[in-house]
Amino acid sequence: MAKFYSELTEPLQNFIQKQQIFFTATAPRQGRINLSPKGMDTFRCLDPKIIAYLDLTGSGNETAAHLQDDGRLTIMFCSFTDTPLILRLYGQGRVIRPTDPEWETFYTYFNPLPGQRQIIVLGIESAQTSCGYGVPIYEFMGERETLVEWADNKGEQGIYEYWQAKNLKSIDGLPTHLLSD
């Protein structure tokens, strides 16, 4: 059954490295809860208490807006293999934009991807495992190339214009500060 940890143990970090998908959940103090799937080799365990992921351009930018409003972030990994397990990471998140002084330090952990937008960092306050017995077994077939192709076709200027049109405010009107200096 459920077990809590104060940090990521080596077995938990190994479990994370095997996963092809993770889910992020955030909420502002007032407004909608956001739950997003992520993938594409964008997640890194930096140490037992800090993780980061390279956030790619999407149709919205809820996570950034919510973290700047409230800071709470939950990340969930879920095994879809024969060995069931769910891992949730709880803590305070923050956004690092390419214009931030910390960008170069954190960016070295990632492979460049077209449409990269920002880095989300989570300071882990606790981690929880649970059984995952009710989760179905699925087979990983491969990464979708659609987002990379879309970003390549847009080019840097096109991505910038897309951010201006779609990524500066959350659904509830909260600022993301994506293009703030």
Side-chain angles (χ1 to χ4, degrees):
M1 289 296 145
K3 184 174 178 182
F4 279 91
Y5 301 82
S6 60
E7 62 183 28
L8 290 176
T9 63
E10 188 173 327
L12 293 178
Q13 289 182 46
N14 291 337
F15 171 73
I16 288 170
Q17 289 176 350
K18 294 176 186 171
Q19 304 313 304
Q20 302 296 328
I21 187 172
F22 62 99
F23 302 85
T24 64
T26 57
R29 288 174 282 197
Q30 295 288 318
R32 294 172 180 93
I33 296 169
N34 185 62
L35 176 62
S36 295
K38 308 287 182 186
M40 299 179 65
D41 188 34
T42 57
F43 193 92
R44 302 291 184 269
C45 294
L46 304 182
D47 70 36
K49 297 286 280 184
I50 298 174
I51 64 86
Y53 71 89
L54 184 62
D55 186 56
L56 306 177
T57 299
S59 57
N61 197 2
E62 300 302 297
T63 302
H66 292 177
L67 291 180
Q68 291 171 85
D69 182 65
D70 182 75
R72 295 174 300 153
L73 173 60
T74 299
I75 295 177
M76 184 185 81
F77 293 90
C78 186
S79 173
F80 294 103
T81 67
D82 290 344
T83 307
L85 184 66
I86 297 170
L87 171 62
R88 292 176 184 90
L89 310 178
Y90 303 99
Q92 293 294 305
R94 61 192 176 99
V95 180
I96 299 174
R97 295 178 300 274
T99 57
D100 293 339
E102 293 178 285
W103 175 263
E104 289 304 320
T105 300
F106 281 88
Y107 186 63
T108 61
Y109 292 102
F110 301 98
N111 299 318
L113 286 168
Q116 59 196 25
R117 179 169 58 185
Q118 55 213 356
I119 296 170
I120 306 297
V121 177
L122 173 66
I124 296 171
E125 295 170 353
S126 67
Q128 176 201 23
T129 57
S130 57
C131 66
Y133 294 166
V135 176
I137 297 171
Y138 281 94
E139 185 177 340
F140 177 69
M141 302 295 289
E143 297 286 356
R144 294 181 196 268
E145 296 297 322
T146 312
L147 184 61
V148 170
E149 290 169 0
W150 174 85
D152 274 339
N153 289 337
K154 282 248 180 240
E156 284 186 36
Q157 183 61 33
I159 292 290
Y160 181 84
E161 291 168 3
Y162 186 87
W163 289 349
Q164 287 178 310
K166 306 269 188 189
N167 285 181
L168 298 185
K169 290 189 185 245
S170 73
I171 295 169
D172 295 313
L174 297 169
T176 67
H177 302 289
L178 178 61
L179 299 177
S180 301
D181 288 333

